[in-house]
Each structure stands twice: as structure tokens, then as C-alpha cells.
Amino acid sequence: MRAQPGRGDGVRAVVLEEIGRPALVREVELIEPRAGEVRVRMLASGVCHSDLHVRDGEWDRPTPIVMGHEGAGVVDAIGPGVTSPPVGELVALSWLIPCGVCRSCRRGRIWECPDSPSYRHTLSDGETAFRGVRSYCAIATMAEASVVPAAAAIPLPDGVDPGAAALIGCCVTTGVGAVLKTAAVPAGSSVAVIGLGGVGLSVVMGAVLANASRIVAIDRMEAKLESARSMGATDGLLAADDPGDTAAALRDLTDGGPDFVFEAIGRPSTVELAISSLPVGGTAVLVGMTPIGERAAFEVFPFVDGARRIIGSNYGSAEPAIDFPRYARWAVEGRLPVERLIDRRIRIDDIEDAFAQMRAGRYVRQVIEF
């Protein structure tokens, strides 16, 4: 069906009315898709740590706002001029919609776009998809339906589980892409991964795809080490209370230090651990997002003297129209076991409990099913 301009429909959604306060599940009015937009009936939405950063006030975002930025669903209406995706298509939603005109976009590095409407949490022209309420990262996946720019809705091949499709929209692309695209890890390299949530385990899977010779998974929870081993990590290292002890143990496991250390938590202490663990010529890849304003420190002389490197990886250097279908095919083929990241499936009303579980470090990835 081609949507006509109109008042829109009421849908249930997770709405954050005030930063640092509990999120509410309530009805909001969704507009009809306009030119260049599509309406997506949501099937699944991941609960990502970025959502918790906003919920708990560690990142400042405009409110009220419909939460969620990791989702998948079926297109059920299109606006004028939209030829793709068609109605009925399963899509994963990209939380970064490039502006198309900035320096980064002109260079084809769309993951670096600083002027994406995603950062304004609106549609491309500044309007809101929900009457009087913004959409987190312009896609608002924690809602029964959402209106998004057509460029954000990436068609996927048949056979993909909707929950897995949702994770491809954020954590899988962020982690796998950090290995294969941002760092371009060569075959035979040694890799360490600090933090084994959805992104960290996706880094592990990416290191397997890159044919890394040794993959050391690091976390404070033994159960997460077991998950990492089951996904291809060669070693599990239980993090010590003293970061220096953890770094020493990691160096012992990897002949003086791993070629690449991926930090997938977003804490200054673990960023510093990643950098301090590097051998001569080693690379720290910072994937986790810290609370805004946090700083980390390192000793400069050995860093420079040892030709060490730090790389920031945003969204796994994603080109969603290319990378999402590729990762989805690998998931269907069994090369990328995305569904194994999902260890709790919940309903939309369980969102505050899901945030509490995340604070406690439980579960790899919780997914809301609609």
C-alpha cells in the first residue's frame, strides 16, 4: 500500500520522558510516511547499552523520546517516491542515516558522517515520526511501528530470524565490522577482546571470520567466557581486580601481547588496560562507548617508541546497504551465529527490568519481541 498523508495511528512504545527517570510504555501517535519514508511494523528490538546510557543520564538526549536503535521489522507502508524497500520486505534498521553531502559522505566514509539526522533524533527534514516525541537515532525501534527514512531500512535475505536481524542493525555490525573493516585484522593475528556483551562477542565472531590464530576473551563473568569459547575464542581470561594482573596474564597468553586488543565495554579503566597490554607494533581498537566526558590516560614514551596504535571504531565502519545483507547471509549459512547472542526474549513491558538486568551484567543480549 502507498500511504497517504494523514493523522496516523496510535502505537505502544517505550518513551523516555526525562533523562535519568524510568522509561514508560505508552501509546504515541505515529505519522503516515511521507516522501522518502517508510513505515516499519517492528518485529524485534535489541536492548543495547547505548539505550541504558541515555536512560541513566550518562548521555544527554532530547526528551520526550521513543527509545531503541537496534531493530528489524516488515515494511507495511511506503511514502511517495519510494521504490525500495517494497511493502512486505523484512528490513534491519540502520541507526546512522548519512547526510550525503558532508566531507565524510563524499569520501564514501558514511559511518563518519557528523550531520546525520540520527544525531538530531528526527526524520531527515527535522520533523518527528511521533507527534511531539522524537525517535532515538531517527529509527525508534522500541515501538510497535516506526516511520523512518527509506535509506535506513535495509532489505535482508530470506530466512533470517527477526531477532538476529535486529542485532545486525547494531551490535553485530559494530563488532564484526570493527575486526573486518576498521582494523582489517590479517589472518594469523592474535586478538584479545575485553568485555563480552553483544558487541564483544560479535568481535569474537569477527576474529573467527578473520582467521585469527589466537582469540583471548576477557570478562569478569565465567559464563560469558564460556559463551566466547563456544563462538570460537581459543582462550578465556577471567579479569583480575588489578588491571596490571590482567595485562600480565594476557601478555603471557599471547607471547608478549596480542597484535590487536578490542575494548568493547566503554570504561576508562578497560581502555587503559587495552593500551597497556599492547606489544611493540600492537593496535588497540576502541569500540565501547564511554559516558560523555570520561577520559583515559597512557604513558606516551613507550607508546610512541613501540610504534603502537589506537583506532576508534564507530559502527564497525558500516556501509549498511552492503554490510547488513552480507552479515545476514553469513548468519543464514551458519558462519555468523548471531542468534546465539540472544539469551533473553522479552515483551515491551519488561523494559525497565531489562535495564536492571543490564546494570547487573546479566545476559548477553535481551531482545524485545513484538
Side-chain angles (χ1 to χ4, degrees):
M1 68 181 271
R2 182 173 299 278
Q4 300 298 321
R7 179 175 172 79
D9 299 313
V11 298
R12 297 183 76 229
V14 174
V15 181
L16 191 65
E17 300 281 1
E18 183 181 346
I19 295 293
R21 302 289 297 172
L24 305 175
V25 178
R26 67 173 177 86
E27 188 169 288
V28 290
E29 186 183 334
L30 180 65
I31 69 169
E32 294 288 349
R34 302 164 304 158
E37 298 169 354
V38 300
R39 186 174 67 211
V40 177
R41 177 173 55 84
M42 217 63 67
L43 297 178
S45 173
V47 183
C48 178
H49 209 99
S50 296
D51 300 305
L52 185 62
H53 279 309
V54 176
R55 156 65 179 83
D56 286 352
E58 295 174 337
W59 294 357
D60 188 23
R61 297 292 184 265
T63 55
I65 191 168
V66 175
M67 296 298 295
H69 64 284
E70 184 178 74
V74 174
V75 176
D76 71 356
I78 61 176
V82 173
T83 57
S84 180
V87 169
E89 190 87 354
L90 173 67
V91 295
L93 297 181
S94 169
W95 60 258
L96 197 155
I97 300 107
C99 73
V101 297
C102 71
R103 179 170 64 181
S104 293
C105 286
R106 293 198 309 270
R107 290 175 174 175
R109 300 174 64 87
I110 59 177
W111 58 90
E112 296 175 353
C113 175
D115 198 34
S116 166
S118 304
Y119 299 135
R120 297 187 293 273
H121 310 285
T122 66
L123 296 169
S124 299
D125 62 358
E127 294 297 321
T128 58
F130 304 94
R131 303 289 184 191
V133 183
R134 297 200 190 209
S135 303
Y136 189 43
C137 288
I139 57 175
T141 61
M142 291 184 186
E144 293 173 326
S146 190
V147 169
V148 305
I154 311 300
L156 297 184
D158 293 337
V160 185
D161 172 77
L167 301 195
I168 287 169
C170 184
C171 76
V172 170
T173 293
T174 298
V176 173
V179 178
L180 300 183
K181 301 190 70 179
T182 308
V185 171
S189 301
S190 55
V191 169
V193 185
I194 302 173
L196 302 174
V199 171
L201 288 174
S202 295
V203 172
V204 170
M205 292 191 291
V208 171
L209 289 168
N211 294 311
S213 61
R214 193 152 204 174
I215 305 169
V216 182
I218 304 169
D219 202 278
R220 286 187 168 275
M221 300 182 69
E222 183 63 46
K224 291 188 176 181
L225 299 182
E226 288 302 316
S227 294
R229 291 187 190 100
S230 75
M231 294 180 187
T234 58
D235 301 89
L237 178 58
L238 199 62
D241 290 334
D242 184 343
D245 292 342
T246 305
L250 177 56
R251 286 192 289 268
D252 287 344
L253 278 172
T254 53
D255 190 26
D259 299 314
F260 294 86
V261 182
F262 291 82
E263 197 282 343
I265 302 176
R267 295 178 184 160
S269 60
T270 47
V271 169
E272 292 169 356
L273 170 61
I275 296 169
S276 68
S277 302
L278 295 176
V280 169
T283 301
V285 186
L286 308 186
V287 185
M289 302 291 283
T290 67
I292 291 172
E294 296 282 356
R295 294 178 178 270
F298 62 91
E299 187 179 355
V300 176
F301 183 88
F303 187 85
V304 177
D305 188 56
R308 295 165 172 89
R309 297 189 302 159
I310 301 172
I311 299 176
S313 180
N314 182 37
Y315 209 5
S317 301
E319 300 169 271
I322 297 171
D323 294 326
F324 285 13
R326 177 173 59 155
Y327 298 154
R329 284 195 300 272
W330 290 349
V332 172
E333 293 166 1
R335 297 175 60 195
L336 196 57
V338 177
E339 286 185 59
R340 289 166 59 187
L341 296 175
I342 304 171
D343 48 4
R344 189 185 187 210
R345 296 177 187 260
I346 63 174
R347 313 309 297 177
I348 192 173
D349 296 290
D350 300 322
I351 186 60
E352 275 297 313
D353 179 66
F355 285 145
Q357 299 297 329
M358 186 178 291
R359 291 188 199 96
R362 303 187 187 100
Y363 302 108
V364 172
R365 209 41 150 218
Q366 302 173 86
V367 170
I368 299 169
E369 295 185 326
F370 295 93

